Amino acid sequence: MTSAPDDPASPAGAGLGWPRLHPTTQSAYNRILWNGGLSKSEVAKELGLSRTRMTAIARDLEAAGLIVEGGREQRANTGRPADMLLAKTDLFHFLGVHVRADELVAAVIDLTNKVVWERRQHVAELDPSVIGAQCRTWLTKAKADGLRVAALAVCGSVERIDGATEGFGLQAVAPEATRSEWEKEFGIPVWAEDDIIALTAFEQWPRLAEDQDSMALISLGRDIGFGLVADRKIILGAHGRAGRFSHVQVANDGARCPLGHRGCLWAESSTTSIVNDIADAQTLGDVIGQAAQGEQTASERLARAARGLGVAAGHILNLLDPDKVILTGDSPLLLDSRTKDFDEGMRSVYTVPDPPVIEVTVFDFLEWARAAAGLALYRRLAEHDH
Ligand SMILES: [Zn+2]
């Protein structure tokens, strides 16, 4: 995707957009930003640049207003003081919009991933014109509040928008043709992507400086989504379909899913399937409530779901050997006091003696929007990085 021309006359456009940078200059900037400041020689070393080339790059970045000199600082790697380059982090902002069936949630972040602005809007129905109109309004308001939005990401599940009926995914509300119209109208790059990819970018992007090269994210809900990072890149697949892993077999017996699999992850662990199996339960919370009151059926059903999730995580560990696995969505709710079942499932396939790094993280509705904004930032900076 190419950047749209910066059009100061564009009504909702952010005015002066992200400056066009040579790929190497963009890479240098990214290194400075991720690391919270670096000396010239550190950047030059990371990117294999000559001193002359690095001096020119620092000059270009300063002229673009993207970095400032940060004074001299003692550097651990050389033991000598060096002139620091610091990124200006409040110069540009990134808008993320998370699409749910009856609500749009917006978050604006600055270059350090910090949320500086947020809004929620109830919507009676979802179609591209509703989303376009709301994005236009928010861009105008953010601009009036002094924010310079340099990119926009509209995110939601490609399988099924949260709270929507089956088969109603992101494509229905932000098709490619509409996305490119928004890009022209708003005068900034616009991405429309799966929210699992956004969450993956959000979790991976700030960790680049810590040498986190790979990770897997599993989001449990009515459906189960997977986000994968390898060699510092989000795996999208040749056709944008990577991470479809929710029908892998995790139990030899077990429930049947609508596709006819027996004991697949969806049948064993999706909240849809758990709730369907328990009488009088409408939500996962109901099933957990029943289990807490000593109902054996509910308790055993949850244990099976946790074990299934563990087997799936074990397969991912075997396949990718990631730095870490993040479990989110309804996983924290399911795994609360059921980590033994999860571990048992994982250990039935993952046989490496060292325990893997597994994080269980809660994301609320705002964090999905924040993740979308993080994706806009990530895409914007990574577009020309090499
Ligand atoms: Zn299945």
Side-chain angles (χ1 to χ4, degrees), residues 40-120:
K40 263 182 218 170
S41 57
E42 284 166 335
V43 181
K45 195 173 161 214
E46 276 206 26
L47 297 176
L49 302 171
S50 71
R51 182 192 289 245
T52 329
R53 180 95 171 87
M54 188 56 220
T55 305
I57 283 174
R59 203 169 44 224
D60 287 350
L61 286 172
E62 272 185 82
L66 289 172
I67 61 165
V68 289
E69 297 265 1
R72 285 176 87 73
E73 203 175 274
Q74 190 77 18
R75 301 307 283 165
N77 53 353
T78 58
R80 287 198 300 262
D83 288 323
M84 295 297 291
L85 303 174
L86 301 178
K88 283 191 75 177
T89 55
D90 57 351
L91 210 51
F92 290 100
H93 301 93
F94 302 85
L95 171 61
V97 174
H98 189 239
V99 182
R100 306 162 69 82
D102 56 354
E103 191 181 36
L104 302 177
V105 185
V108 173
I109 58 167
D110 66 12
L111 281 155
T112 63
N113 253 325
K114 193 177 83 188
V115 176
V116 292
W117 197 87
E118 58 192 66
R119 294 289 187 278
R120 299 172 73 168

Side-chain angles (χ1 to χ4, degrees), residues 293-313:
Q293 282 166 14
E295 296 220 12
Q296 198 66 18
T297 324
S299 183
E300 278 167 12
R301 184 64 187 84
L302 292 170
R304 236 175 69 205
R307 209 173 304 127
L309 194 60
V311 173

Side-chain angles (χ1 to χ4, degrees), residues 19 28 35 40 67 109 140 171 175 185 273 278 280-281 308 338 345 359:
N35 289 285
K40 263 182 218 170
I67 61 165
I109 58 167
T140 307
Q171 265 299 309
E185 187 201 332
S273 178
I278 301 297
D280 301 329
R338 278 174 208 90
E359 261 179 39

Side-chain angles (χ1 to χ4, degrees), residues 246-247 257 259-261 264 266-267:
S246 57
H247 289 275
C257 84
L259 303 181
H261 313 130
C264 78
W266 192 93

